[in-house]
Amino acid sequence: MKNECEFCSFKSKAALMLSDGEIGRLSDNCALVKLNKGDTVIKQGAFSTNVVYLRSGLAKIHISGPYYEQIVRIVKPPSYLALPTTFGDKINQYSVTVIEKAEVCFIDMIIFRYLLSINPSFSYEIMIELCRNELEVFYRCANRTQKQIRGKIADLLLEMSDQIYHSSLFSLPVSQSEIGNLIDASRESVSRVLTEFNKEGIINMKGKRIEIENRNTLLLISSNG
Amino acid sequence: MKNECEFCSFKSKAALMLSDGEIGRLSDNCALVKLNKGDTVIKQGAFSTNVVYLRSGLAKIHISGPYYEQIVRIVKPPSYLALPTTFGDKINQYSVTVIEKAEVCFIDMIIFRYLLSINPSFSYEIMIELCRNELEVFYRCANRTQKQIRGKIADLLLEMSDQIYHSSLFSLPVSQSEIGNLIDASRESVSRVLTEFNKEGIINMKGKRIEIENRNTLLLISSNG
DNA sequence: TTATATTTGTGATATAGGTCACAAATTCAT
DNA sequence: ATGAATTTGTGACCTATATCACAAATATAA
């Protein structure tokens, strides 16, 4: 399916830098795909000639660790994926899997690199994204290490509510095991803490639906260990 | 002190992409500084208008975490630092401190961005570096989480020997507390493991001098937890 | 070189969070 | 809707590693 990028209402900040002609080139080499929860967007180790633009939905980035698959971060749109594939060798260095019904554009890598080479503003915006990613991982790194489980879960809930869903009521896009994997804790501990928070009236949880009832207490727990 | 970049024998791969004229521009806006262990290269929170090129020596990147300063990685040359400052706001988002006598070039950010905008090959190489950084943090992330202390220290020793010093005999550039901070362990545990390795004949340690005696066992421990 | 500050080694003890096991609840596919 | 598969809740128990507390060893500065 061909995407009409010129009329796309989910353009990335970088894509806004492109001229009409450039957008046309992009459009001709870009395929929009709708994906469901669990679908693989990028498979680590596979050969690829595409950059992927996450246009809507949610995905997780995970890599194969020494003992098991490790989720390294949740990605929300707008976001470019597989950039290391574009710039390094053509083998995907991590996997990306949809965790919430997503629209994704597969962009031919040659065109993407061509656009980078002729449009410095486009290139500049992509660099900003790369830097932001790096900083985010740094920040997570310190957080993962220094906080205890209650703090890490409080953080995650606040992030979901503030950064991802922009609402105090949302449905967790991942299982408790995946949360555990992401924040470096066992599934059982995640369950225990979530239940605690529920009993303490901090959140109201039924199934995967969560409503944050007491944001301030979460903030407190987040900065307490 | 003005640096004569055209004659620099420690050029980055990116800098090799620059034309003579471009190198000249760089040279005019670049200051070479020699720094000692403990010297601050970049201070998180401070305003900056420079990119920093690590030309020789070693440095650590650390950020302020929720409870204490967290070392996120050791940087070896050639490497550009403070790129997020260049691309985002002008405030440094992390600190960089020298851990082994270093030479560093402070490059005016305006020139750096100018070169990026006119030279796509230069820009391309910088993007490769940004991507490599991201992947490296992903990898570390999985490692830190999934391995036990012996495995993490084995990894660190192998990295020092293979990646940093290219020799089985080297002197640790950081204290055991810093190692603990980097691999997410207490100083005491680091000491115990290093002592164990020493007694087990895997390494030969006196003071900060370490010689790797049994590389294979280290590899084994590294992939064992 | 000498004094001072920092780093390291090691035993004793404490604990956060992991692991196991199984029942209950949800979610998914037909 | 219905049965199968997955996810969640929770008690009992375990363990890797943190903490504490010093003494010994090294590194640093005067």
Side-chain angles (χ1 to χ4, degrees):
Chain A
M1 182 219 246
K2 181 81 82 52
N3 182 22
E4 293 295 323
C5 302
E6 38 282 65
F7 308 120
C8 175
S9 43
F10 298 99
K11 282 205 191 71
S12 69
K13 185 143 185 253
L16 291 176
M17 303 299 163
L18 299 174
S19 71
D20 288 355
E22 289 161 3
I23 281 272
R25 294 294 293 272
L26 180 61
S27 213
D28 293 342
N29 294 278
C30 174
L32 173 64
V33 179
K34 285 173 202 275
L35 295 173
N36 290 312
K37 178 162 186 157
D39 290 348
T40 297
V41 185
I42 296 175
K43 178 75 183 141
Q44 180 172 11
F47 180 86
S48 170
T49 53
N50 291 289
V51 179
V52 180
Y53 178 61
L54 180 67
R55 190 183 190 248
S56 71
L58 276 183
K60 60 176 179 184
I61 298 184
H62 44 116
I63 64 169
S64 150
Y67 301 107
Y68 50 86
E69 198 70 12
Q70 177 78 46
I71 304 176
V72 291
R73 71 197 191 86
I74 305 286
V75 204
K76 64 178 211 292
S79 201
Y80 289 96
L81 300 165
L83 292 175
T85 295
T86 308
F87 296 116
D89 49 20
K90 302 297 163 277
I91 304 296
N92 292 320
Q93 302 297 309
Y94 51 72
S95 297
V96 176
T97 304
V98 171
I99 56 174
E100 197 165 281
K101 198 184 268 291
E103 294 174 305
V104 148
C105 303
F106 286 84
I107 303 167
D108 186 88
M109 184 190 297
I110 306 288
I111 290 314
F112 193 83
R113 277 168 60 172
Y114 168 74
L115 294 174
L116 285 169
S117 74
I118 61 162
N119 189 324
S121 303
F122 180 69
S123 171
Y124 182 76
E125 290 297 331
I126 297 297
M127 288 199 184
I128 288 183
E129 177 162 343
L130 289 172
C131 287
R132 222 185 316 120
N133 290 347
E134 184 181 16
L135 290 174
E136 217 219 296
V137 190
F138 282 1
Y139 172 77
R140 273 181 187 293
C141 183
N143 243 29
R144 255 198 237 229
T145 303
Q146 296 180 22
K147 284 189 183 169
Q148 300 185 233
I149 296 194
R150 281 174 64 95
K152 292 193 276 191
I153 293 188
D155 277 349
L156 186 77
L157 293 173
L158 288 168
E159 187 188 335
M160 288 288 160
S161 148
D162 298 350
Q163 252 79 274
I164 313 235
Y165 296 108
H166 308 287
S167 157
S168 63
L169 177 67
F170 56 88
S171 180
L172 283 174
V174 287
S175 70
Q176 293 183 2
S177 326
E178 285 174 292
I179 293 178
N181 183 309
L182 179 65
I183 67 171
D184 184 18
S186 71
R187 184 224 109 210
E188 292 91 331
S189 297
V190 172
S191 176
R192 275 184 252 269
V193 169
L194 247 18
T195 307
E196 272 168 39
F197 283 2
N198 201 32
K199 283 184 183 144
E200 293 165 16
I202 299 170
I203 60 174
N204 186 321
M205 169 174 64
K206 52 164 107 103
K208 293 212 176 296
R209 284 258 125 201
I210 285 192
E211 171 150 32
I212 292 180
E213 304 269 48
N214 192 335
R215 214 186 119 75
N216 286 336
T217 306
L218 276 186
L219 285 167
L220 206 66
I221 292 170
S222 157
S223 60
N224 244 335
Chain B
M1 184 219 246
K2 180 82 81 59
N3 182 20
E4 293 295 323
C5 302
E6 40 279 66
F7 308 120
C8 176
S9 43
F10 298 101
K11 280 205 192 71
S12 68
K13 184 140 184 257
L16 291 175
M17 304 298 161
L18 299 174
S19 71
D20 288 356
E22 288 160 4
I23 281 272
R25 294 293 293 271
L26 180 62
S27 211
D28 293 340
N29 294 278
C30 174
L32 172 64
V33 178
K34 287 173 200 274
L35 296 173
N36 290 310
K37 178 162 187 156
D39 289 349
T40 297
V41 184
I42 296 175
K43 178 76 183 141
Q44 180 172 10
F47 180 87
S48 170
T49 53
N50 291 289
V51 179
V52 180
Y53 178 62
L54 181 65
R55 189 184 191 250
S56 70
L58 277 182
K60 61 176 179 184
I61 298 186
H62 44 114
I63 65 169
S64 151
Y67 301 106
Y68 50 86
E69 198 70 12
Q70 178 77 45
I71 303 175
V72 291
R73 70 197 193 85
I74 306 287
V75 205
K76 64 178 210 294
S79 200
Y80 288 95
L81 301 164
L83 292 175
T85 296
T86 307
F87 296 116
D89 49 19
K90 302 295 164 277
I91 304 296
N92 292 318
Q93 301 296 311
Y94 52 72
S95 296
V96 176
T97 304
V98 172
I99 57 173
E100 198 165 281
K101 199 184 266 291
E103 293 174 305
V104 148
C105 303
F106 287 84
I107 303 167
D108 186 86
M109 184 189 297
I110 305 289
I111 290 313
F112 192 82
R113 277 167 61 173
Y114 168 74
L115 294 174
L116 286 169
S117 74
I118 61 163
N119 188 325
S121 304
F122 180 70
S123 170
Y124 182 76
E125 291 297 332
I126 297 297
M127 288 198 185
I128 288 183
E129 175 161 345
L130 289 172
C131 287
R132 221 184 318 118
N133 290 347
E134 183 181 17
L135 290 175
E136 216 218 299
V137 190
F138 282 0
Y139 171 77
R140 273 180 188 294
C141 184
N143 243 28
R144 253 197 239 230
T145 302
Q146 295 180 23
K147 285 189 182 168
Q148 299 185 233
I149 297 193
R150 280 173 65 96
K152 292 193 277 189
I153 293 187
D155 277 349
L156 186 77
L157 293 174
L158 289 167
E159 187 190 334
M160 287 288 161
S161 147
D162 298 351
Q163 252 78 274
I164 313 234
Y165 295 109
H166 307 286
S167 157
S168 63
L169 177 66
F170 55 87
S171 179
L172 283 174
V174 288
S175 70
Q176 294 184 0
S177 324
E178 285 174 293
I179 293 177
N181 182 311
L182 179 65
I183 68 171
D184 184 16
S186 71
R187 185 223 109 210
E188 292 91 331
S189 297
V190 173
S191 176
R192 274 185 254 268
V193 169
L194 248 17
T195 307
E196 271 168 42
F197 284 2
N198 201 33
K199 282 182 184 146
E200 292 164 17
I202 300 170
I203 61 174
N204 186 321
M205 169 175 63
K206 52 165 108 100
K208 295 213 177 294
R209 284 257 126 201
I210 286 193
E211 172 150 32
I212 294 181
E213 304 269 49
N214 191 336
R215 214 186 118 76
N216 287 335
T217 306
L218 276 186
L219 285 167
L220 206 66
I221 292 171
S222 158
S223 60
N224 246 337

